[in-house]
Amino acid sequence: MKTKIAWSPTPELVKSTRLYRWMKQLGYDDYDAFLQAATNDVSWFWQEAEKVLGIHWDEPYTRTLDLDKGIKWPKWYIGGKLNAAYNSVGKWADDEQMKDHAALIWEGEDGQTLTYSYSQLNEQINRVANGLKEQGIQKGDIVAIYMPMVAETVISMLAVAKIGAIYSPVFSGYGADAVATRLNAAEAKMLITADGFYRRGRPVSMKEEADKAVAMSPSIKKVVVYRRLQSDIPWKKDRDIDWVDVAKAEPLCETESLNSSDPLMLIYTSGTTGRPKGAVHTHSGFPLKSAFDAGIGMDVKKGDCLFWYTDMGWMMGPFLVYGGLVNGATILLYEGTPDFPDPGRLWKIVETHQVTHLGISPTLVRASMKHGESWSNQYDLSTLRVIASTGEPWNPEPWTWLFEKVGHSHIPIFNYSGGTEISGGILGNVLIRPIGPITFNSPLPGMEVHVFNEEGKPVTNEVGELVITKPWVGMTDGFWGEPERYEEAYWSRFENVWVHGDWVMKDDEGYWTITGRSDDILNVAGKRLGPAEIESILVSHPDVIEAGTIGIPDEVKGEAAVCFAVLNTGVEETERLQLELLDLVAEKMGKALKPKAIHFVPDLPKTRNAKVMRRAIRAAYLGKDAGDLSSLENPQVVEIIKQLGERS
C-alpha cells in the first residue's frame, strides 16, 4: 500500500537544514546515497559526526572504532579525552559570542520562571562541582539524582560529570522501594534530592520518600537536599546537606579530562521481571548520539529552544540536556503537568518561551484531543518549526489531529523511536524527505537497521523484528555489573545482531511503521498482529479517545485479543457500544481477528512520561505478577482491570 504523504519540505527548507548542508560538505547530493555510505563505513561516519557537532577533545583520538571485543562491545574514539560537561556548557561559556545566550529556561507549575545564560549556568555547575568534591565525591563515585524538573537537576548532572563522577537519574515519581532498588543496584555514594515539587497545583513531597529509600540503601553516605517548596522536612544532621551549602562553594575551574569510554551516566530502565537494567553511557556516547539526533536529525541549531515534556529519570530527560546544550540551543524544563490549570498550558509555554522544537507523546496528544483544538489556537505557535514525538506507536487519528488542527498542516511531526540503551533514536523523520502519518521516513543516519523475519532474513512489506547489524556511537556499554544479562537481552536471538524488541514493517518506498513491542505481539490463530493495529481502529471511532489491546490464552485460537477503551467525556458505557466497537474491528481486520471482549476503563495504566504499559494491563487482567510497576502514574487503574479480569 502506497504511503500517503502529509508533509513535504520545500526546496528552500531542505537547503537550510544542517543535514543537507553537511551532506553537501561531504560530497553527497542524494540522501539515499549518503545514508548508504553512513552504514557502509560507520567508523568514517561517526568520525565526521563528532566533527560537525564541534566536539571538543582535550586530547585527540587516534582511532574512531575498535571492535577487538566484537560488535557487542565496541570502543569509540580510542585515545581521545574529553568531558561531557565542558562540551555541553563550558565550551559555550568560553565563547564570547555565545556566553550570554540563554542556555536553560525553567518554568514552575506555579508560574515562576528562571533563565540561565551559558555563562551563568557554567558558574553554577562549577560551584556545585567544587561543593560535591568538598563532600567527598571523587572520580568514579556514583551520585543518584532523584529530583523534579528544576534547573538544579541539570546543574547536578553536569557538576557530577565535570569532576569525573557518574550520575544516575531516578524518576521523580518513584516511591521509596523503587528508588532504593536503583540506589542499591548502583551502589550510589550520594543522593541529591528535593523537598518536593508542584503537580496539579498541589505540593508533592520527595524528602520523606528519599529518607525511606536511603534507610534501605547502606551505600549512601550523604543526602543533598534542594528546597523547592521551602517546606518543613525531616533532617538528619550527620547526613543531610542543604543544596545552598553545596552551591556556595568557590567555582571549580578545572574540568576532569576523561577517556572517551569513561562512564558518564547510569540510567535504569524497568525490566519485565521487576529487576531494573542499568544502561551504562559514556562521555563520548550518550551526549554525542543525542546531540546528533537533535542537531542533524531534528535540525536544532544555535539559538533554538528545545522543550521536551519528560522527566530526568527517563531517557528523554538527558536527551533534552545534551540534544539542546551540545548544539548551543536553549533547553526548557517544565515542572508540572501539561494541562494545568487548563488544557492550554503546553501551548502557552510554547508561545511564552518561543519554543522551536517541542517533544511530546501520542498519549498526551490523545488526552489533548478531547479538549479540542481551541486551546492550542489561542496561542501564537509561529516559532514552532518541529513537533517531535516518542514513547509509543501513533494511531492515525491523533496524529492527523495534531498535524492538521494544531500545526495547521505545515509543522512537520518528527516521529522518533529508539530507547535508553540506544542514547536516542533508531528511526526518525528526517526533514529533507516527505513525511507520512504515523510512519518513519528513514533510519537515523549511522544506524544500520533492518526488519528480520523469524529465520533472521531481511524482509520488506512484512511485519518483523527491528534489528541493528552494526555498532553505533551511544550504544550502551552493557548493563551495570551484568554483562551476561545485556548480551542475553539484545544479542541472543540472531548472531551478532541487536534485536530491539519492536515489531515493525518497512514498505517499498522506505517508510517504516512500528506496530508495537514484539513481546506485546498477538498471535491469533497463527496470524501475528501488533496491538497498535487494533487500537488505531478503536480510536478511529468518535466515542473512543484511547485504547489498549492485549492477548490472552484461548483454547481455539491459541491467543485472543481483549481490548480496553477510554471513552470521550459524556459518552455512556453501553453494551450496544461494546458490540459496535467489536464489529468495527471485525470489519476492518477480518472476523477471525475479532476481539474476544472489550472493556470500558477510565484510563490506561501509564508511566508519568505517558507510555502505556500493556504488560501491566495483561498481568492485571490475568491475575499475574506484572513485575516493576513503580513508575505508574495511575496504579488505581490496574486494580480496576484486575477486577474486570476476575469477572470475565
Side-chain angles (χ1 to χ4, degrees):
M1 185 173 73
K2 191 174 176 65
T3 298
K4 172 190 170 188
I5 301 302
W7 177 89
S8 292
T10 63
E12 293 76 23
L13 175 64
V14 169
K15 289 174 184 174
S16 75
T17 63
R18 292 179 71 185
L19 173 56
Y20 180 81
R21 295 202 307 268
W22 184 44
M23 278 171 44
K24 290 283 285 182
Q25 181 188 322
L26 295 174
Y28 291 92
D29 286 306
D30 179 69
Y31 177 72
D32 288 327
F34 168 73
L35 199 63
Q36 190 61 56
T39 50
N40 283 347
D41 188 346
V42 292
S43 179
W44 163 80
F45 175 82
W46 288 107
Q47 179 179 318
E48 294 298 332
E50 69 86 4
K51 289 178 186 172
V52 76
L53 291 170
I55 299 300
H56 171 86
W57 296 93
D58 300 327
E59 291 183 23
Y61 54 93
T62 56
R63 202 155 34 115
T64 309
L65 175 61
D66 182 344
L67 290 177
D68 283 355
K69 292 185 178 178
I71 188 175
K72 302 170 191 175
W73 301 98
K75 294 295 178 190
W76 292 94
Y77 307 118
I78 314 307
K81 290 201 167 187
L82 77 168
N83 189 293
Y86 187 80
N87 274 289
S88 303
V89 175
K91 71 176 181 182
W92 302 123
D94 288 342
D95 183 330
E96 283 298 318
Q97 293 183 319
M98 285 292 294
K99 67 179 185 179
D100 294 326
H101 282 234
L104 185 151
I105 298 170
W106 170 77
E107 180 167 315
E109 194 182 71
D110 57 0
Q112 289 188 63
T113 61
L114 285 171
T115 300
Y116 291 83
S117 68
Y118 273 101
S119 179
Q120 290 167 333
L121 188 61
N122 192 55
E123 180 173 350
Q124 288 300 305
I125 290 164
N126 291 350
R127 287 185 183 279
V128 172
N130 210 13
L132 294 176
K133 287 190 85 166
E134 289 173 358
Q135 294 299 330
I137 298 300
Q138 302 174 349
K139 179 182 176 181
D141 286 342
I142 296 174
V143 178
I145 300 175
Y146 175 49
M147 294 272 279
M149 288 296 272
V150 290
E152 288 72 14
T153 309
V154 175
I155 291 165
S156 297
M157 290 163 59
L158 296 176
V160 170
K162 181 181 174 75
I163 61 177
I166 305 160
Y167 65 87
S168 184
V170 180
F171 170 49
S172 63
Y174 277 145
D177 286 351
V179 176
T181 298
R182 288 151 179 81
L183 297 181
N184 287 319
E187 295 183 281
K189 186 174 178 180
M190 173 185 278
L191 176 65
I192 302 177
T193 189
D195 56 356
F197 56 94
Y198 289 105
R199 188 161 178 78
R200 297 205 174 278
R202 298 189 187 94
V204 177
S205 298
M206 289 186 79
K207 177 60 161 60
E208 290 79 359
E209 289 300 312
D211 284 347
K212 291 178 199 169
V214 170
M216 297 182 265
S217 310
S219 62
I220 296 289
K221 305 302 179 193
K222 297 282 179 70
V223 177
V224 176
V225 186
Y226 169 65
R227 295 179 184 269
R228 160 71 178 112
L229 301 178
Q230 295 293 323
S231 57
D232 187 22
I233 51 175
W235 200 261
K236 285 190 74 169
K237 282 187 177 179
D238 58 338
R239 185 199 68 191
D240 296 347
I241 305 143
D242 197 299
W243 170 269
V244 173
D245 293 328
V246 174
K248 70 183 181 185
E250 286 297 310
L252 178 71
C253 296
E254 182 185 341
T255 300
E256 191 76 28
S257 187
L258 299 160
N259 293 322
S260 64
S261 59
D262 279 343
L264 161 72
M265 173 175 68
L266 179 55
I267 184 164
Y268 282 89
T269 62
S270 292
T272 54
T273 62
R275 192 161 51 96
K277 304 171 294 187
V280 182
H281 290 297
T282 67
H283 277 257
S284 69
F286 195 103
L288 210 153
K289 168 64 172 163
S290 294
F292 178 85
D293 286 4
I296 305 302
M298 299 175 194
D299 204 42
V300 172
K301 301 172 181 174
K302 283 182 185 177
D304 282 347
C305 182
L306 174 62
F307 169 34
W308 213 287
Y309 178 68
T310 184
D311 185 274
M312 212 53 73
W314 306 128
M315 192 216 86
M316 296 313 298
F319 173 92
L320 167 66
V321 173
Y322 298 110
L325 298 180
V326 173
N327 285 301
T330 304
I331 60 171
L332 177 83
L333 274 65
Y334 172 56
E335 171 188 47
T337 48
D339 58 353
F340 184 86
D342 60 51
R345 184 63 183 268
L346 186 76
W347 312 112
K348 183 181 180 183
I349 291 170
V350 171
E351 178 188 90
T352 302
H353 302 293
Q354 299 188 306
V355 172
T356 58
H357 294 71
L358 172 67
I360 50 180
S361 70
T363 295
L364 194 157
V365 174
R366 288 193 293 266
S368 299
M369 274 178 72
K370 64 186 177 187
H371 301 296
E373 59 271 18
S374 63
W375 289 100
S376 61
N377 290 341
Q378 290 178 35
Y379 297 98
D380 178 3
L381 307 183
S382 59
T383 59
L384 199 53
R385 296 206 317 270
V386 176
I387 300 175
S389 76
T390 193
E392 59 185 311
W394 276 101
N395 311 119
E397 278 67 26
W399 191 99
T400 303
W401 179 83
L402 177 67
F403 180 67
E404 294 181 354
K405 304 299 184 184
V406 177
H408 302 292
S409 300
H410 75 266
I411 303 175
I413 298 176
F414 193 104
N415 207 6
Y416 187 55
S417 185
T420 305
E421 297 87 347
I422 305 294
S423 294
I426 301 170
L427 300 172
N429 274 335
V430 294
L431 301 175
I432 63 174
R433 300 187 78 179
I435 292 172
I438 82 169
T439 58
F440 304 84
N441 67 13
S442 176
L444 272 300
M447 306 297 287
E448 177 73 82
V449 189
H450 299 278
V451 184
F452 274 13
N453 64 14
E454 288 190 17
E455 286 76 47
K457 302 283 174 55
V459 291
T460 305
N461 294 319
E462 186 180 317
V463 176
E465 291 276 4
L466 179 66
V467 302
I468 311 171
T469 55
K470 288 186 179 176
W472 67 94
V473 164
M475 183 174 139
T476 183
D477 193 17
F479 295 156
W480 189 254
E482 298 183 297
E484 299 85 1
R485 189 182 179 202
Y486 157 71
E487 292 194 9
E488 174 64 27
Y490 288 108
W491 301 96
S492 59
R493 180 87 180 273
F494 307 117
E495 187 175 359
N496 287 332
V497 171
W498 175 290
V499 178
H500 192 61
D502 280 334
W503 209 244
V504 66
M505 185 175 75
K506 178 188 175 186
D507 68 17
D508 290 326
E509 298 172 287
Y511 287 88
W512 304 64
T513 304
I514 291 180
T515 62
R517 295 290 297 168
S518 54
D519 50 13
D520 288 335
I521 291 303
L522 285 72
N523 191 335
V524 181
K527 300 175 182 69
R528 291 193 164 208
L529 67 152
E533 294 179 74
I534 297 177
E535 291 161 4
S536 292
I537 292 168
L538 292 170
V539 172
S540 71
H541 191 284
D543 290 344
V544 178
I545 194 68
E546 197 167 23
T549 299
I550 61 167
I552 67 166
D554 183 84
E555 288 183 9
V556 177
K557 297 181 178 180
E559 197 169 31
V562 172
C563 304
F564 301 83
V566 181
L567 300 180
N568 266 308
T569 306
V571 175
E572 191 179 350
E573 299 180 2
T574 63
E575 188 177 345
R576 180 179 176 182
L577 181 56
Q578 281 179 313
L579 295 172
E580 186 180 329
L581 292 170
L582 290 170
D583 288 342
L584 178 65
V585 177
E587 177 194 338
K588 300 286 188 182
M589 298 289 296
K591 289 182 180 177
L593 300 176
K594 182 177 180 179
K596 187 170 187 174
I598 185 163
H599 300 285
F600 298 131
V601 289
D603 201 357
L604 299 174
K606 298 186 191 93
T607 60
R608 220 176 84 196
N609 65 336
K611 186 179 289 188
V612 174
M613 289 186 74
R614 290 191 189 88
R615 66 178 172 84
I617 299 174
R618 189 173 189 273
Y621 193 73
L622 296 176
K624 294 184 177 179
D625 177 20
D628 182 13
L629 298 180
S630 53
S631 62
L632 278 186
E633 166 83 339
N634 49 357
Q636 69 278 6
V637 179
V638 174
E639 189 58 36
I640 293 169
I641 293 170
K642 184 178 179 182
Q643 291 170 9
L644 288 170
E646 289 170 352
R647 293 200 295 266
S648 297

